[in-house]
């Protein structure tokens, strides 16, 4: 076959370079990040410029083909000797991922089979006993899938040199050949198949072991098995000839053992087929593990020792023992201006001169009562729930102590926000009030000192929150509450 066939095929194989692997390159384009991204600056368009690895290579090599399954074989075909041919290949290799690629390959060679080497003279009675020699000159073009089995199955750590890789190959192509047979009468061509014909299709599969010499060069030993699908490839002549009637198989197949070199193309340091994603992860973990960098928090310290760093503490002189919120401000549950640390009535507002408790005045009987305008607040509920939250327990326990120390009676009032229907909110507020009342009674308050009332959405702490307006959640939460009023 003329060499122009290979040149044309290789020219047709060069694709447009319009693809890229994942990249961590940061794009300076104004389009990235955009409203369709996660907001990360670590985004770049999927173009050839964003590639991190080389993914093209050119491979070539030489080898020895051996006809194994045929009427005339290369392996001890009656004479006890093996007949070795020669072969050469060149391929363009494209890595799609770190574990899969596609190769366009051109093979050229000559197999030798039969009773003797056709380069030598034939025995005088070769045709009489059908002890002929044969050779087949072939050209093949095939598209092979390349699976990097090492990357697919092997898991390496960051200490591995990772210079060996086991590959598997399989694909289809077109096979053109001229088969010659020789006996004592001479050497003659007995079969010819042109390329790109229906009968010229063949398949081949095999495995190879690669060694990475450096970032540019790989060495590979490969064994391929070609299935011709043709009973005339071995030079036995017409498929109905006496020689081709010896064996029942209808496909002459051969091994091809080669040793080759791959030249990796591109400007990057690493080729995609030599990259295991776990290697990069292990490397980064080792870098982090060996990096001695202490994370410094609370650079300015915590001068008031309230557990909130001074960097974001809004109250730098919190008294020792006071409970604080996330901003370092001492808690004042009843909002009477006296922090809970010094407030004797945590849940009931009162003046400073009475330690945060309401001032009691004598009635006509000489007993002290609490001002009827005094209210106990601070018990809030989740949406659509009447369950007393654990965070309310300290407030309720303080209420138990205060009510037991008072001679008055109290109304436990439940309220809701404006979401849901008015009838539903009314029942929900009643359940909330009754749950709080039951808790107080179970913890020592006399039942005749308490009465429970539900006011639903008619008693809003923030009246501007109505079904027609959208209030912030903290206002809705404040409306979902239970509080106390002295009778």
């Amino acid at each position: 076959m003329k060499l122009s066939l290979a040149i044309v095929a290789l020219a047709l194989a060069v694709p447009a370079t319009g693809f890229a692997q994942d990249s961590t390159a940061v794009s300076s384009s104004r389009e990235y990040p955009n409203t369709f991204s996660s907001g990360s600056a670590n985004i770049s368009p999927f173009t050839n410029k964003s590639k991190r690895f080389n993914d093209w290579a050119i491979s070539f090599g030489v080898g020895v083909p051996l006809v194994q399954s045929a009427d005339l074989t290369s392996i001890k075909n009656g004479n006890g000797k093996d007949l070795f041919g020669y072969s050469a290949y060149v391929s363009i290799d494209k890595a799609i991922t770190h574990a899969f690629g596609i190769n366009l390959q051109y093979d050229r060679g000559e197999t030798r089979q039969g009773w003797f080497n056709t380069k030598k003279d034939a025995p005088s009675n070769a045709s009489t006993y059908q002890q002929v020699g044969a050779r087949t000159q072939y050209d093949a073009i095939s598209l092979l899938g390349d699976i990097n089995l090492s990357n697919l199955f092997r898991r390496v750590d960051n200490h591995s040199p990772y210079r060996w890789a086991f590959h598997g190959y399989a694909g289809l192509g077109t096979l053109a050949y001229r088969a010659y047979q020789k006996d004592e009468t001479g050497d003659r061509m007995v079969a010819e198949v042109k390329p790109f014909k229906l009968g010229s299709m063949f398949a081949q599969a095999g495995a190879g072991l690669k060694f990475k010499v450096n970032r540019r060069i790989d060495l590979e030993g490969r064994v391929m098995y070609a299935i011709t699908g043709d009973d005339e490839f071995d030079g036995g002549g017409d498929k109905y000839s006496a020689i081709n009637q010896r064996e029942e198989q209808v496909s002459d197949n051969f091994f091809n053992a080669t040793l080759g070199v791959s030249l990796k193309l591109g400007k990057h340091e690493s080729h995609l087929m030599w990259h295991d994603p776990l290697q990069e992860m292990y490397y980064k973990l080792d870098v982090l593990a060996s990096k001695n960098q202490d994370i410094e928090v609370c650079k300015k310290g915590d001068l008031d020792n309230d557990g909130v760093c001074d960097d974001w503490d809004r109250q730098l002189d919190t008294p020792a023992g006071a409970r604080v919120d996330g901003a370092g401000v001492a808690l004042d549950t009843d909002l009477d201006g006296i922090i809970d640390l010094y407030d004797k009535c945590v849940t009931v507002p009162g003046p400073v001169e009475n330690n945060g408790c309401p001032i009691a005045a004598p009635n006509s009987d000489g007993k002290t009562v609490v001002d009827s305008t005094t209210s106990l607040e601070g018990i809030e509920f989740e949406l659509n729930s009447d369950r007393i939250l654990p965070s309310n327990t300290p407030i309720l326990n303080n209420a138990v102590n205060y009510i037991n120390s008072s001679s008055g009676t109290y109304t436990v009032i439940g309220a809701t926000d404006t979401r849901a229907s008015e009838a539903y909110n009314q029942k929900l507020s009643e359940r909330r009030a009754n749950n709080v009342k039951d808790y107080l009674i179970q913890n020592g308050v006399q039942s005749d000192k308490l009465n429970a009332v539900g006011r639903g959405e008619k008693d809003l702490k923030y009246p501007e929150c109505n079904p027609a307006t959208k209030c912030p959640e903290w206002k809705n939460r404040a409306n979902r509450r239970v509080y106390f009023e002295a009778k």
Side-chain angles (χ1 to χ4, degrees):
M1 180 178 295
K2 294 182 180 180
L3 187 61
S4 59
L5 174 62
I7 297 174
V8 171
L10 292 178
L12 293 175
V14 181
T17 56
F19 300 95
Q21 298 92 35
D22 293 338
S23 173
T24 57
V26 178
S27 171
S28 59
S29 169
R30 295 182 179 179
E31 298 179 0
Y32 297 90
N34 54 39
T35 55
F36 301 101
S37 75
S38 63
S40 169
N42 213 21
I43 298 174
S44 64
F46 194 64
T47 65
N48 193 54
K49 293 182 180 180
S50 63
K51 291 195 300 185
R52 296 174 55 201
F53 308 101
N54 299 325
D55 51 9
W56 288 95
I58 296 176
S59 300
F60 51 88
V62 296
V64 176
L66 292 169
V67 177
Q68 174 267 337
S69 176
D71 299 284
L72 298 175
T73 65
S74 304
I75 305 172
K76 295 181 174 58
N77 196 151
N79 60 357
K81 297 180 181 180
D82 297 328
L83 301 179
F84 300 100
Y86 63 88
S87 67
Y89 73 89
V90 61
S91 69
I92 296 177
D93 311 329
K94 166 68 175 177
I96 306 300
T97 71
H98 75 292
F100 179 73
I102 295 178
N103 303 342
L104 182 66
Q105 181 167 303
Y106 168 68
D107 292 271
R108 183 180 180 86
E110 179 178 287
T111 64
R112 293 170 182 169
Q113 55 275 350
W115 265 256
F116 60 92
N117 191 330
T118 56
K119 298 297 182 181
K120 299 181 179 180
D121 295 333
S124 59
N125 57 353
S127 60
T128 304
Y129 298 99
Q130 299 178 359
Q131 296 178 351
V132 300
R135 59 188 175 90
T136 305
Q137 296 174 347
Y138 67 89
D139 296 87
I141 298 174
S142 56
L143 190 64
L144 299 175
D146 177 1
I147 299 179
N148 188 332
L149 297 172
S150 294
N151 272 348
L152 196 61
F153 296 114
R154 180 171 62 184
R155 287 297 176 256
V156 300
D157 57 48
N158 57 317
H159 302 295
S160 298
Y162 198 48
R163 305 193 70 169
W164 295 92
F166 188 64
H167 287 245
Y169 302 95
L172 299 173
T174 179
L175 176 69
Y177 68 87
R178 293 187 298 271
Y180 296 88
Q181 186 181 114
K182 184 175 183 180
D183 57 20
E184 72 276 10
T185 62
D187 191 9
R188 61 189 179 280
M189 186 172 68
V190 294
E192 182 178 15
V193 172
K194 298 292 186 180
F196 304 110
K197 302 293 183 181
L198 183 61
S200 70
M201 297 297 293
F202 84 110
Q204 62 174 329
L209 184 62
K210 280 191 175 183
F211 175 74
K212 182 170 69 173
V213 178
N214 53 42
R215 60 181 289 263
R216 286 294 182 193
I217 297 176
D218 294 341
L219 298 179
E220 181 181 21
R222 187 187 302 183
V223 176
M224 301 294 291
Y225 189 69
I227 302 173
T228 68
D230 193 333
D231 196 21
E232 301 177 16
F233 178 85
D234 63 348
D238 183 82
K239 62 181 179 179
Y240 298 111
S241 67
I243 293 178
N244 275 338
Q245 295 297 314
R246 293 176 177 178
E247 303 292 341
E248 295 182 356
Q249 73 270 11
V250 295
S251 176
D252 296 337
N253 307 328
F254 64 94
F255 286 104
N256 192 15
T258 60
L259 182 63
V261 177
S262 292
L263 178 62
K264 294 168 283 189
L265 308 177
K267 62 181 180 180
H268 300 286
E269 286 297 320
S270 178
H271 191 275
L272 183 58
M273 275 290 190
W274 284 105
H275 178 75
D276 188 331
L278 286 182
Q279 274 189 313
E280 190 168 340
M281 183 185 72
Y282 289 140
Y283 170 75
K284 290 179 180 178
L285 287 176
D286 255 16
V287 170
L288 292 176
S290 61
K291 192 173 184 180
N292 186 16
Q293 179 178 357
D294 295 328
I295 300 176
E296 186 177 2
V297 296
C298 280
K299 291 184 179 180
K300 296 181 180 179
D302 181 13
L303 295 179
D304 54 8
N305 199 31
D306 61 356
V308 179
C309 295
D310 290 349
D311 294 323
W312 52 82
D313 195 336
R314 292 175 53 196
Q315 187 177 39
L316 297 175
D317 57 350
T318 305
R323 296 187 304 157
V324 297
D325 59 17
V329 178
L331 295 179
D332 179 13
T333 302
D334 54 13
L335 303 178
D336 59 2
I338 305 172
I339 64 174
D340 293 353
L341 178 66
Y342 303 134
D343 199 331
K344 299 299 183 182
C345 300
V346 176
T347 61
V348 183
V352 176
E353 57 269 17
N354 199 35
N355 296 322
C357 292
I359 298 177
N363 61 6
S364 58
D365 298 330
K367 298 181 180 180
T368 59
V369 296
V370 178
D371 185 355
S372 61
T373 62
T374 298
S375 63
L376 300 169
E377 298 192 35
I379 304 173
E380 298 177 352
F381 290 82
E382 297 291 347
L383 178 64
N384 194 27
S385 173
D386 59 5
R387 184 176 68 89
I388 298 175
L389 300 175
S391 58
N392 291 323
T393 302
I395 300 174
L396 291 173
N397 291 340
N398 285 329
V400 170
N401 296 332
Y402 176 77
I403 294 173
N404 284 339
S405 66
S406 170
S407 60
T409 59
Y410 294 86
T411 300
V412 182
I413 301 172
T416 68
D417 57 26
T418 59
R419 285 176 284 190
S421 65
E422 184 175 348
Y424 178 84
N425 286 334
Q426 178 61 34
K427 293 181 180 179
L428 180 59
S429 66
E430 293 172 1
R431 294 202 308 271
R432 287 173 175 171
N434 282 314
N435 280 356
V436 172
K437 175 185 174 183
D438 292 342
Y439 179 91
L440 297 176
I441 293 174
Q442 292 171 5
N443 285 273
V445 176
Q446 298 176 7
S447 60
D448 57 359
K449 280 192 170 187
L450 298 174
N451 183 37
V453 174
R455 293 182 180 174
E457 58 185 62
K458 298 177 181 177
D459 188 2
L460 299 176
K461 188 173 183 179
Y462 294 96
E464 66 270 20
C465 293
N466 55 66
T469 62
K470 184 177 181 180
C471 277
E473 179 56 27
W474 67 269
K475 285 189 177 182
N476 286 323
R477 187 179 183 90
N479 283 334
R480 301 191 299 267
R481 72 199 193 284
V482 167
Y483 63 96
F484 306 87
E485 282 187 354
K487 294 184 180 179

